[in-house]
Amino acid sequence: MAEPDLTLHPHVGSPVRAKVGVTGIVQGVGFRPFIYRLARENGLAGFVSNTSAGVDLEVEGRPTAVDRFLDQLQTMAPPLSRIRRVGVAWLEPRGDREFIISQSRAAAARTVLISPDVAVCDQCLMEMRDKSNRRFGYPFINCTDCGPRYTIIKDIPYDRDKTTMAEFILCPDCAREYHDPANRRFHAQPNACWVCGPQVILLDAQGRSWAEDDPIKAAAAHLAAGAILAIKGLGGFHLAVDGANGPAVAELRRRKHREEKPLALMVKDLAAITALAQVSPPEAAQLTSPRRPIVLLRKRADAPIAAEVAPGNQFFGVMLPYAPLHYRLFDAGLFTALVMTSGNLSEEPIVIDNAEALARLSRIADFFLVHNRDIYLRTDDSVMRWLDDRPRLIRRSRGFAPQPVFLKPHLRPILGYGAEKKNTVCLASGENAFLSQHVGDLENLETLDYLSLTVDHLKRIMSIEPEIVAHDLHPDYLSTKYALTLTGVTLVGVQHHHAHILSCLAEHGLEERVIGVALDGTGYGTDGRLWGAEVLVVNKGDFSRAAQFAYLPLPGGEVAIREPWRMAVSLLNHTYGPESIPFDLPVTQHVPESKIRFILQMMARQVNSPLVSSCGRLFDGVASLIGLRHDAAYEGQAAIELEMIAATDGAALNDGYPMTWTYESSHRIVDLKQLTAALVADVRQGVTPDVISSRFHAGLIRLFTGLCIEVAEETGIQTVVLSGGVFMNAIILTGLTASLNQAGFTVYSNQEVPTNDGGIALGQVLAAHYLTQ
């Protein structure tokens, strides 16, 4: 609840008038009709209006009634609202006799907070399934408590003419609801019905319409028969197949060129989810929340789901239906789980336009279930995992964006352009930092165009024109190159791992000096090398490097990320030397000796072998050394599978591999020779991969605990911040947190701001603020 700025009126008994300004997420969530009903229930006169700053209202009446109203305004607010601040000033009574909802007004400062898209509410769902209701079966039913918001807004104030619903003229019945303050659909901007609203049609891959009385029921029949469908949803298209149909899932993978990366599932209801995965009460709460994220759930051995959905993984990514259209598909009763993966070609943004879908997805989908409500801004599904008694967002998008992160310091207008992978952008001003929806990997022009569109849209709906632009130090990132073309702004380069730590500080409202442990794949360092296993001492805009892994060559550069065996060879070369490489290991037996010799020559001659200090790349090398994964079909696959196989018995977890450090120059260097030699010895002795994985994880936990203890002894800092993609690993996150807590540290880690590169933009904004003060 917001901290109200309330000064009780000086009057006793006689009528009083209060002017109230409310900021936060208070538009598009039924806030004005809520105020209208509340004022009438308390016998108050006055008005309420949307402004570009939030909601303004004046109430007049008996002092006790006004006091009660001001209290209920916060304690009884609509479920989707989020009040940030309430300001009250006392005016002279005007003698108003009624309470009205007045026309939206512009305000000098446009700081309104836009609601994310949210799942259809229970009341709308009940009406959609009621044969006597005029909206029976209508796949776009919504009200002020549910439905699309962010994806249809073009500008603010949030009124119908500024959304993609502008072209749909309300029929008399919908118009009565829209204009009735006592109705649940009062000023519900997407309000519509069969008569006046968007409609669904079913097309084949050539774009020909199938004249079906019920295209949704026909689409469900095609899915049940094994067809692949492209389905237009709230924030873009999904590619869907029956999740229990192995051949259909395999065919989807073949057509989309997505060989092994896990596919998301949409499941009929919570009861059906419990039949295929283990669900804790907190996970169930996330699944059923209006945000409806994809939640990673541990598989059941007898799950009635095709093995092709998530091979080599102990988890399913599962979500419940969130759009009325989804419920209509499941109501056909022909399946309980659908694969619902992003409707795009590899590495491209999710498709949102009907014509674009036919052009880009016709070689993948057999049929297209489309509609004529335009999506203004694409938004992927959010993904989360419940870890250490907290939600951990892996991808922050639908249901969360553009809800702000509230900052402790007051910022000038700043824009952070994020990283190359899992890109998001962040636009901040004052105490609000608006982290965008997931943009994706910036590897092509289409995604760069989407980045530009997202920035322009955020600037417009938040009315923020940045004075400062923050970017990553990596000169080859497209986000960096794009930022450097801008003129008329102050440009600030921010080190990647510094930004990781600051993203966590921003989320938790911290400004103190901390020890930051930043573990990820790679990020450009201040020395021009690739970092990724860093212990930093961070003091707002300043940081120093306290520890790192010893630099090793990354033979082939980016290619080594797709071929983990290259990092395994680099570790062996570092440990044994090029003339003593052991050729009795899984990796050296898998890769031809001639190829290994060639890689050794590359490293010796320093050809396309940048130096790297990276925990993520260490995971790759270890996975290959033990024969688990020599080639990766998707980013992070080797590390994920190494986590998946780890033994959980206490003996393995307590028996970590040795990793020690020496103090060189200005900080500590962790040598990986001991680790590699001990691991190779275990492989030769026939120790199973699950035990080796556990010992590796335990060794890392012990290493970073020891490093933090030593740094704390030098600095007196007792707060540790964990951030970076490696902390998506449950063993590392929970194990290191527990170990550090036991050592007396206070530990913070990312929760609703992704710990991977999806949170980098927020850290960049905070760094730019500190660096330009």
Side-chain angles (χ1 to χ4, degrees), residues 541-584:
D542 297 323
F543 76 93
S544 59
R545 206 176 186 190
Q548 65 165 99
F549 282 175
Y551 283 120
L552 297 178
L554 185 67
E558 291 287 314
V559 175
I561 298 173
R562 299 190 296 273
E563 299 179 1
W565 66 265
R566 291 172 178 257
M567 199 63 208
V569 172
S570 185
L571 285 167
L572 293 174
N573 178 61
H574 175 68
T575 304
Y576 299 99
E579 301 304 322
S580 302
I581 294 286
F583 280 90
D584 59 343

mmCIF file of all heavy atoms in Angstrom, residues 541-584:
data_model
loop_
_atom_site.group_PDB
_atom_site.id
_atom_site.type_symbol
_atom_site.label_atom_id
_atom_site.label_comp_id
_atom_site.label_asym_id
_atom_site.label_seq_id
_atom_site.Cartn_x
_atom_site.Cartn_y
_atom_site.Cartn_z
ATOM 1 N N GLY A 541 28.247 3.916 -8.108
ATOM 2 C CA GLY A 541 28.798 3.993 -9.454
ATOM 3 C C GLY A 541 30.218 3.501 -9.581
ATOM 4 O O GLY A 541 30.751 3.414 -10.691
ATOM 5 N N ASP A 542 30.840 3.170 -8.472
ATOM 6 C CA ASP A 542 32.224 2.699 -8.493
ATOM 7 C C ASP A 542 32.276 1.203 -8.184
ATOM 8 O O ASP A 542 31.447 0.688 -7.429
ATOM 9 C CB ASP A 542 33.060 3.448 -7.454
ATOM 10 C CG ASP A 542 33.143 4.935 -7.741
ATOM 11 O OD1 ASP A 542 33.227 5.289 -8.937
ATOM 12 O OD2 ASP A 542 33.104 5.722 -6.784
ATOM 13 N N PHE A 543 33.255 0.529 -8.756
ATOM 14 C CA PHE A 543 33.477 -0.863 -8.389
ATOM 15 C C PHE A 543 34.946 -1.205 -8.604
ATOM 16 O O PHE A 543 35.661 -0.566 -9.384
ATOM 17 C CB PHE A 543 32.593 -1.806 -9.213
ATOM 18 C CG PHE A 543 33.057 -2.030 -10.628
ATOM 19 C CD1 PHE A 543 33.883 -3.100 -10.956
ATOM 20 C CD2 PHE A 543 32.686 -1.150 -11.644
ATOM 21 C CE1 PHE A 543 34.306 -3.303 -12.260
ATOM 22 C CE2 PHE A 543 33.113 -1.338 -12.947
ATOM 23 C CZ PHE A 543 33.922 -2.421 -13.260
ATOM 24 N N SER A 544 35.388 -2.203 -7.884
ATOM 25 C CA SER A 544 36.732 -2.739 -8.080
ATOM 26 C C SER A 544 36.636 -4.253 -8.140
ATOM 27 O O SER A 544 35.734 -4.859 -7.547
ATOM 28 C CB SER A 544 37.671 -2.308 -6.945
ATOM 29 O OG SER A 544 37.186 -2.753 -5.689
ATOM 30 N N ARG A 545 37.563 -4.849 -8.835
ATOM 31 C CA ARG A 545 37.569 -6.297 -9.026
ATOM 32 C C ARG A 545 38.352 -6.938 -7.879
ATOM 33 O O ARG A 545 39.541 -6.700 -7.727
ATOM 34 C CB ARG A 545 38.215 -6.604 -10.374
ATOM 35 C CG ARG A 545 37.795 -7.903 -11.020
ATOM 36 C CD ARG A 545 38.438 -8.008 -12.385
ATOM 37 N NE ARG A 545 37.979 -9.160 -13.143
ATOM 38 C CZ ARG A 545 38.529 -9.574 -14.273
ATOM 39 N NH1 ARG A 545 39.573 -8.906 -14.782
ATOM 40 N NH2 ARG A 545 38.052 -10.631 -14.903
ATOM 41 N N ALA A 546 37.683 -7.758 -7.091
ATOM 42 C CA ALA A 546 38.337 -8.401 -5.954
ATOM 43 C C ALA A 546 38.820 -9.806 -6.279
ATOM 44 O O ALA A 546 39.766 -10.291 -5.664
ATOM 45 C CB ALA A 546 37.392 -8.456 -4.763
ATOM 46 N N ALA A 547 38.172 -10.477 -7.240
ATOM 47 C CA ALA A 547 38.576 -11.844 -7.609
ATOM 48 C C ALA A 547 38.016 -12.193 -8.976
ATOM 49 O O ALA A 547 36.986 -11.665 -9.398
ATOM 50 C CB ALA A 547 38.112 -12.846 -6.560
ATOM 51 N N GLN A 548 38.693 -13.116 -9.646
ATOM 52 C CA GLN A 548 38.270 -13.598 -10.961
ATOM 53 C C GLN A 548 38.848 -14.977 -11.192
ATOM 54 O O GLN A 548 39.780 -15.408 -10.512
ATOM 55 C CB GLN A 548 38.791 -12.670 -12.074
ATOM 56 C CG GLN A 548 40.329 -12.686 -12.161
ATOM 57 C CD GLN A 548 40.893 -12.088 -13.431
ATOM 58 O OE1 GLN A 548 41.300 -10.950 -13.425
ATOM 59 N NE2 GLN A 548 40.910 -12.869 -14.499
ATOM 60 N N PHE A 549 38.316 -15.703 -12.167
ATOM 61 C CA PHE A 549 38.965 -16.921 -12.647
ATOM 62 C C PHE A 549 40.185 -16.518 -13.475
ATOM 63 O O PHE A 549 40.214 -15.443 -14.092
ATOM 64 C CB PHE A 549 38.025 -17.721 -13.545
ATOM 65 C CG PHE A 549 36.981 -18.526 -12.805
ATOM 66 C CD1 PHE A 549 36.009 -19.221 -13.512
ATOM 67 C CD2 PHE A 549 36.966 -18.597 -11.424
ATOM 68 C CE1 PHE A 549 35.042 -19.956 -12.858
ATOM 69 C CE2 PHE A 549 36.003 -19.329 -10.751
ATOM 70 C CZ PHE A 549 35.041 -20.012 -11.478
ATOM 71 N N ALA A 550 41.174 -17.388 -13.505
ATOM 72 C CA ALA A 550 42.319 -17.172 -14.388
ATOM 73 C C ALA A 550 41.837 -17.121 -15.837
ATOM 74 O O ALA A 550 40.935 -17.870 -16.228
ATOM 75 C CB ALA A 550 43.334 -18.300 -14.210
ATOM 76 N N TYR A 551 42.417 -16.219 -16.616
ATOM 77 C CA TYR A 551 42.033 -16.129 -18.023
ATOM 78 C C TYR A 551 42.449 -17.384 -18.773
ATOM 79 O O TYR A 551 43.564 -17.889 -18.624
ATOM 80 C CB TYR A 551 42.691 -14.916 -18.673
ATOM 81 C CG TYR A 551 42.038 -13.598 -18.329
ATOM 82 C CD1 TYR A 551 42.763 -12.586 -17.696
ATOM 83 C CD2 TYR A 551 40.708 -13.353 -18.661
ATOM 84 C CE1 TYR A 551 42.173 -11.362 -17.391
ATOM 85 C CE2 TYR A 551 40.112 -12.132 -18.357
ATOM 86 C CZ TYR A 551 40.834 -11.144 -17.727
ATOM 87 O OH TYR A 551 40.248 -9.950 -17.425
ATOM 88 N N LEU A 552 41.521 -17.866 -19.596
ATOM 89 C CA LEU A 552 41.789 -18.992 -20.491
ATOM 90 C C LEU A 552 41.362 -18.610 -21.902
ATOM 91 O O LEU A 552 40.423 -17.816 -22.072
ATOM 92 C CB LEU A 552 41.014 -20.236 -20.059
ATOM 93 C CG LEU A 552 41.322 -20.841 -18.688
ATOM 94 C CD1 LEU A 552 40.418 -22.043 -18.435
ATOM 95 C CD2 LEU A 552 42.771 -21.250 -18.603
ATOM 96 N N PRO A 553 41.995 -19.167 -22.922
ATOM 97 C CA PRO A 553 41.543 -18.899 -24.288
ATOM 98 C C PRO A 553 40.170 -19.519 -24.533
ATOM 99 O O PRO A 553 39.858 -20.609 -24.026
ATOM 100 C CB PRO A 553 42.607 -19.572 -25.166
ATOM 101 C CG PRO A 553 43.776 -19.799 -24.260
ATOM 102 C CD PRO A 553 43.221 -19.992 -22.894
ATOM 103 N N LEU A 554 39.345 -18.822 -25.298
ATOM 104 C CA LEU A 554 38.052 -19.335 -25.738
ATOM 105 C C LEU A 554 38.176 -19.595 -27.239
ATOM 106 O O LEU A 554 37.881 -18.724 -28.064
ATOM 107 C CB LEU A 554 36.961 -18.299 -25.452
ATOM 108 C CG LEU A 554 35.509 -18.705 -25.733
ATOM 109 C CD1 LEU A 554 35.062 -19.807 -24.781
ATOM 110 C CD2 LEU A 554 34.573 -17.496 -25.606
ATOM 111 N N PRO A 555 38.646 -20.793 -27.609
ATOM 112 C CA PRO A 555 38.994 -21.053 -29.010
ATOM 113 C C PRO A 555 37.774 -21.009 -29.934
ATOM 114 O O PRO A 555 36.810 -21.737 -29.745
ATOM 115 C CB PRO A 555 39.610 -22.453 -28.970
ATOM 116 C CG PRO A 555 39.096 -23.078 -27.722
ATOM 117 C CD PRO A 555 38.879 -21.957 -26.754
ATOM 118 N N GLY A 556 37.828 -20.109 -30.891
ATOM 119 C CA GLY A 556 36.717 -19.934 -31.816
ATOM 120 C C GLY A 556 35.758 -18.847 -31.390
ATOM 121 O O GLY A 556 34.799 -18.545 -32.110
ATOM 122 N N GLY A 557 35.988 -18.243 -30.221
ATOM 123 C CA GLY A 557 35.110 -17.172 -29.758
ATOM 124 C C GLY A 557 33.694 -17.662 -29.556
ATOM 125 O O GLY A 557 33.444 -18.628 -28.832
ATOM 126 N N GLU A 558 32.714 -17.005 -30.198
ATOM 127 C CA GLU A 558 31.304 -17.343 -30.031
ATOM 128 C C GLU A 558 30.998 -18.786 -30.420
ATOM 129 O O GLU A 558 30.056 -19.394 -29.894
ATOM 130 C CB GLU A 558 30.439 -16.388 -30.868
ATOM 131 C CG GLU A 558 30.409 -14.958 -30.366
ATOM 132 C CD GLU A 558 29.593 -14.806 -29.091
ATOM 133 O OE1 GLU A 558 28.473 -15.350 -29.022
ATOM 134 O OE2 GLU A 558 30.075 -14.149 -28.160
ATOM 135 N N VAL A 559 31.793 -19.356 -31.332
ATOM 136 C CA VAL A 559 31.555 -20.742 -31.743
ATOM 137 C C VAL A 559 31.682 -21.689 -30.552
ATOM 138 O O VAL A 559 30.986 -22.704 -30.454
ATOM 139 C CB VAL A 559 32.545 -21.154 -32.858
ATOM 140 C CG1 VAL A 559 32.383 -22.636 -33.219
ATOM 141 C CG2 VAL A 559 32.335 -20.287 -34.096
ATOM 142 N N ALA A 560 32.564 -21.357 -29.612
ATOM 143 C CA ALA A 560 32.784 -22.217 -28.450
ATOM 144 C C ALA A 560 31.542 -22.312 -27.572
ATOM 145 O O ALA A 560 31.388 -23.286 -26.826
ATOM 146 C CB ALA A 560 33.962 -21.699 -27.632
ATOM 147 N N ILE A 561 30.651 -21.337 -27.643
ATOM 148 C CA ILE A 561 29.410 -21.395 -26.865
ATOM 149 C C ILE A 561 28.516 -22.503 -27.413
ATOM 150 O O ILE A 561 27.818 -23.190 -26.662
ATOM 151 C CB ILE A 561 28.696 -20.038 -26.892
ATOM 152 C CG1 ILE A 561 29.583 -18.960 -26.236
ATOM 153 C CG2 ILE A 561 27.347 -20.113 -26.191
ATOM 154 C CD1 ILE A 561 29.040 -17.553 -26.360
ATOM 155 N N ARG A 562 28.539 -22.701 -28.724
ATOM 156 C CA ARG A 562 27.746 -23.769 -29.346
ATOM 157 C C ARG A 562 28.468 -25.106 -29.331
ATOM 158 O O ARG A 562 27.843 -26.149 -29.556
ATOM 159 C CB ARG A 562 27.408 -23.376 -30.786
ATOM 160 C CG ARG A 562 26.578 -22.109 -30.901
ATOM 161 C CD ARG A 562 26.077 -21.889 -32.311
ATOM 162 N NE ARG A 562 27.170 -21.679 -33.269
ATOM 163 C CZ ARG A 562 27.721 -20.507 -33.531
ATOM 164 N NH1 ARG A 562 27.304 -19.421 -32.889
ATOM 165 N NH2 ARG A 562 28.697 -20.391 -34.416
ATOM 166 N N GLU A 563 29.789 -25.083 -29.087
ATOM 167 C CA GLU A 563 30.588 -26.315 -29.073
ATOM 168 C C GLU A 563 31.387 -26.383 -27.771
ATOM 169 O O GLU A 563 32.566 -26.013 -27.723
ATOM 170 C CB GLU A 563 31.517 -26.354 -30.290
ATOM 171 C CG GLU A 563 30.768 -26.348 -31.616
ATOM 172 C CD GLU A 563 31.700 -26.364 -32.826
ATOM 173 O OE1 GLU A 563 32.945 -26.395 -32.633
ATOM 174 O OE2 GLU A 563 31.193 -26.355 -33.960
ATOM 175 N N PRO A 564 30.750 -26.817 -26.682
ATOM 176 C CA PRO A 564 31.410 -26.829 -25.368
ATOM 177 C C PRO A 564 32.716 -27.614 -25.324
ATOM 178 O O PRO A 564 33.559 -27.355 -24.459
ATOM 179 C CB PRO A 564 30.351 -27.468 -24.460
ATOM 180 C CG PRO A 564 29.050 -27.145 -25.114
ATOM 181 C CD PRO A 564 29.331 -27.197 -26.588
ATOM 182 N N TRP A 565 32.921 -28.554 -26.224
ATOM 183 C CA TRP A 565 34.150 -29.332 -26.229
ATOM 184 C C TRP A 565 35.376 -28.439 -26.397
ATOM 185 O O TRP A 565 36.469 -28.776 -25.915
ATOM 186 C CB TRP A 565 34.119 -30.411 -27.317
ATOM 187 C CG TRP A 565 34.106 -29.902 -28.735
ATOM 188 C CD1 TRP A 565 33.028 -29.693 -29.525
ATOM 189 C CD2 TRP A 565 35.245 -29.537 -29.525
ATOM 190 N NE1 TRP A 565 33.402 -29.223 -30.761
ATOM 191 C CE2 TRP A 565 34.772 -29.126 -30.791
ATOM 192 C CE3 TRP A 565 36.628 -29.528 -29.302
ATOM 193 C CZ2 TRP A 565 35.610 -28.705 -31.813
ATOM 194 C CZ3 TRP A 565 37.480 -29.112 -30.326
ATOM 195 C CH2 TRP A 565 36.968 -28.700 -31.558
ATOM 196 N N ARG A 566 35.218 -27.297 -27.039
ATOM 197 C CA ARG A 566 36.351 -26.388 -27.225
ATOM 198 C C ARG A 566 36.845 -25.857 -25.876
ATOM 199 O O ARG A 566 38.055 -25.710 -25.661
ATOM 200 C CB ARG A 566 35.951 -25.217 -28.133
ATOM 201 C CG ARG A 566 35.692 -25.614 -29.583
ATOM 202 C CD ARG A 566 35.113 -24.466 -30.388
ATOM 203 N NE ARG A 566 34.896 -24.811 -31.781
ATOM 204 C CZ ARG A 566 35.672 -24.436 -32.791
ATOM 205 N NH1 ARG A 566 36.738 -23.680 -32.556
ATOM 206 N NH2 ARG A 566 35.399 -24.796 -34.024
ATOM 207 N N MET A 567 35.903 -25.555 -24.977
ATOM 208 C CA MET A 567 36.308 -25.082 -23.651
ATOM 209 C C MET A 567 36.929 -26.205 -22.849
ATOM 210 O O MET A 567 37.848 -25.968 -22.034
ATOM 211 C CB MET A 567 35.101 -24.500 -22.921
ATOM 212 C CG MET A 567 35.485 -23.595 -21.756
ATOM 213 S SD MET A 567 36.407 -22.136 -22.302
ATOM 214 C CE MET A 567 37.390 -21.814 -20.829
ATOM 215 N N ALA A 568 36.478 -27.433 -23.064
ATOM 216 C CA ALA A 568 37.099 -28.580 -22.400
ATOM 217 C C ALA A 568 38.558 -28.714 -22.834
ATOM 218 O O ALA A 568 39.451 -28.956 -22.003
ATOM 219 C CB ALA A 568 36.325 -29.857 -22.723
ATOM 220 N N VAL A 569 38.832 -28.547 -24.115
ATOM 221 C CA VAL A 569 40.203 -28.613 -24.612
ATOM 222 C C VAL A 569 41.038 -27.484 -24.022
ATOM 223 O O VAL A 569 42.209 -27.666 -23.665
ATOM 224 C CB VAL A 569 40.229 -28.580 -26.157
ATOM 225 C CG1 VAL A 569 41.651 -28.457 -26.686
ATOM 226 C CG2 VAL A 569 39.557 -29.825 -26.722
ATOM 227 N N SER A 570 40.439 -26.297 -23.887
ATOM 228 C CA SER A 570 41.155 -25.173 -23.286
ATOM 229 C C SER A 570 41.531 -25.470 -21.838
ATOM 230 O O SER A 570 42.648 -25.173 -21.398
ATOM 231 C CB SER A 570 40.297 -23.908 -23.363
ATOM 232 O OG SER A 570 40.996 -22.780 -22.889
ATOM 233 N N LEU A 571 40.628 -26.086 -21.083
ATOM 234 C CA LEU A 571 40.932 -26.464 -19.696
ATOM 235 C C LEU A 571 42.042 -27.500 -19.642
ATOM 236 O O LEU A 571 42.945 -27.421 -18.791
ATOM 237 C CB LEU A 571 39.670 -27.012 -19.025
ATOM 238 C CG LEU A 571 38.605 -25.995 -18.615
ATOM 239 C CD1 LEU A 571 37.292 -26.689 -18.269
ATOM 240 C CD2 LEU A 571 39.085 -25.165 -17.419
ATOM 241 N N LEU A 572 41.991 -28.489 -20.524
ATOM 242 C CA LEU A 572 43.032 -29.524 -20.543
ATOM 243 C C LEU A 572 44.380 -28.931 -20.936
ATOM 244 O O LEU A 572 45.423 -29.277 -20.358
ATOM 245 C CB LEU A 572 42.641 -30.635 -21.522
ATOM 246 C CG LEU A 572 41.414 -31.478 -21.132
ATOM 247 C CD1 LEU A 572 41.049 -32.443 -22.261
ATOM 248 C CD2 LEU A 572 41.677 -32.244 -19.837
ATOM 249 N N ASN A 573 44.377 -28.027 -21.901
ATOM 250 C CA ASN A 573 45.615 -27.366 -22.314
ATOM 251 C C ASN A 573 46.201 -26.548 -21.161
ATOM 252 O O ASN A 573 47.411 -26.557 -20.915
ATOM 253 C CB ASN A 573 45.322 -26.462 -23.508
ATOM 254 C CG ASN A 573 46.544 -25.698 -23.978
ATOM 255 O OD1 ASN A 573 47.558 -26.285 -24.379
ATOM 256 N ND2 ASN A 573 46.463 -24.373 -23.926
ATOM 257 N N HIS A 574 45.338 -25.848 -20.438
ATOM 258 C CA HIS A 574 45.768 -25.035 -19.303
ATOM 259 C C HIS A 574 46.362 -25.901 -18.189
ATOM 260 O O HIS A 574 47.334 -25.504 -17.527
ATOM 261 C CB HIS A 574 44.569 -24.243 -18.775
ATOM 262 C CG HIS A 574 44.843 -23.457 -17.534
ATOM 263 N ND1 HIS A 574 45.676 -22.362 -17.508
ATOM 264 C CD2 HIS A 574 44.387 -23.611 -16.255
ATOM 265 C CE1 HIS A 574 45.725 -21.869 -16.282
ATOM 266 N NE2 HIS A 574 44.956 -22.607 -15.501
ATOM 267 N N THR A 575 45.800 -27.084 -17.996
ATOM 268 C CA THR A 575 46.201 -27.949 -16.878
ATOM 269 C C THR A 575 47.405 -28.814 -17.209
ATOM 270 O O THR A 575 48.321 -28.971 -16.375
ATOM 271 C CB THR A 575 45.020 -28.841 -16.464
ATOM 272 O OG1 THR A 575 43.890 -28.001 -16.152
ATOM 273 C CG2 THR A 575 45.362 -29.692 -15.247
ATOM 274 N N TYR A 576 47.441 -29.391 -18.411
ATOM 275 C CA TYR A 576 48.462 -30.375 -18.752
ATOM 276 C C TYR A 576 49.488 -29.891 -19.775
ATOM 277 O O TYR A 576 50.561 -30.497 -19.912
ATOM 278 C CB TYR A 576 47.807 -31.653 -19.285
ATOM 279 C CG TYR A 576 46.886 -32.313 -18.291
ATOM 280 C CD1 TYR A 576 45.506 -32.130 -18.366
ATOM 281 C CD2 TYR A 576 47.382 -33.115 -17.266
ATOM 282 C CE1 TYR A 576 44.645 -32.724 -17.450
ATOM 283 C CE2 TYR A 576 46.534 -33.723 -16.352
ATOM 284 C CZ TYR A 576 45.170 -33.526 -16.445
ATOM 285 O OH TYR A 576 44.332 -34.114 -15.535
ATOM 286 N N GLY A 577 49.161 -28.829 -20.499
ATOM 287 C CA GLY A 577 50.038 -28.382 -21.576
ATOM 288 C C GLY A 577 49.688 -29.082 -22.873
ATOM 289 O O GLY A 577 49.131 -30.195 -22.866
ATOM 290 N N PRO A 578 50.031 -28.488 -24.019
ATOM 291 C CA PRO A 578 49.608 -29.033 -25.322
ATOM 292 C C PRO A 578 50.207 -30.393 -25.652
ATOM 293 O O PRO A 578 49.608 -31.153 -26.421
ATOM 294 C CB PRO A 578 50.072 -27.962 -26.315
ATOM 295 C CG PRO A 578 51.163 -27.223 -25.601
ATOM 296 C CD PRO A 578 50.784 -27.229 -24.166
ATOM 297 N N GLU A 579 51.347 -30.719 -25.063
ATOM 298 C CA GLU A 579 51.993 -32.000 -25.386
ATOM 299 C C GLU A 579 51.523 -33.130 -24.485
ATOM 300 O O GLU A 579 51.878 -34.294 -24.706
ATOM 301 C CB GLU A 579 53.516 -31.857 -25.295
ATOM 302 C CG GLU A 579 54.099 -30.801 -26.220
ATOM 303 C CD GLU A 579 53.731 -31.038 -27.679
ATOM 304 O OE1 GLU A 579 53.703 -32.219 -28.103
ATOM 305 O OE2 GLU A 579 53.444 -30.043 -28.385
ATOM 306 N N SER A 580 50.775 -32.819 -23.461
ATOM 307 C CA SER A 580 50.384 -33.856 -22.492
ATOM 308 C C SER A 580 48.878 -33.978 -22.348
ATOM 309 O O SER A 580 48.379 -34.451 -21.325
ATOM 310 C CB SER A 580 50.998 -33.532 -21.123
ATOM 311 O OG SER A 580 52.405 -33.452 -21.210
ATOM 312 N N ILE A 581 48.135 -33.562 -23.378
ATOM 313 C CA ILE A 581 46.680 -33.669 -23.331
ATOM 314 C C ILE A 581 46.282 -35.136 -23.204
ATOM 315 O O ILE A 581 46.717 -35.976 -23.992
ATOM 316 C CB ILE A 581 46.054 -33.078 -24.615
ATOM 317 C CG1 ILE A 581 46.302 -31.582 -24.699
ATOM 318 C CG2 ILE A 581 44.564 -33.392 -24.685
ATOM 319 C CD1 ILE A 581 45.473 -30.764 -23.765
ATOM 320 N N PRO A 582 45.464 -35.503 -22.209
ATOM 321 C CA PRO A 582 45.020 -36.899 -22.087
ATOM 322 C C PRO A 582 43.984 -37.230 -23.160
ATOM 323 O O PRO A 582 42.997 -36.511 -23.316
ATOM 324 C CB PRO A 582 44.417 -36.955 -20.687
ATOM 325 C CG PRO A 582 44.054 -35.553 -20.346
ATOM 326 C CD PRO A 582 44.997 -34.665 -21.074
ATOM 327 N N PHE A 583 44.210 -38.323 -23.879
ATOM 328 C CA PHE A 583 43.296 -38.711 -24.955
ATOM 329 C C PHE A 583 42.440 -39.924 -24.597
ATOM 330 O O PHE A 583 41.912 -40.596 -25.474
ATOM 331 C CB PHE A 583 44.079 -38.964 -26.247
ATOM 332 C CG PHE A 583 44.442 -37.695 -26.979
ATOM 333 C CD1 PHE A 583 45.642 -37.054 -26.715
ATOM 334 C CD2 PHE A 583 43.579 -37.129 -27.900
ATOM 335 C CE1 PHE A 583 45.981 -35.873 -27.371
ATOM 336 C CE2 PHE A 583 43.907 -35.947 -28.554
ATOM 337 C CZ PHE A 583 45.114 -35.318 -28.293
ATOM 338 N N ASP A 584 42.306 -40.158 -23.278
ATOM 339 C CA ASP A 584 41.463 -41.265 -22.828
ATOM 340 C C ASP A 584 40.198 -40.771 -22.144
ATOM 341 O O ASP A 584 39.589 -41.501 -21.360
ATOM 342 C CB ASP A 584 42.255 -42.156 -21.873
ATOM 343 C CG ASP A 584 42.769 -41.404 -20.642
ATOM 344 O OD1 ASP A 584 42.795 -40.169 -20.683
ATOM 345 O OD2 ASP A 584 43.143 -42.065 -19.665
#
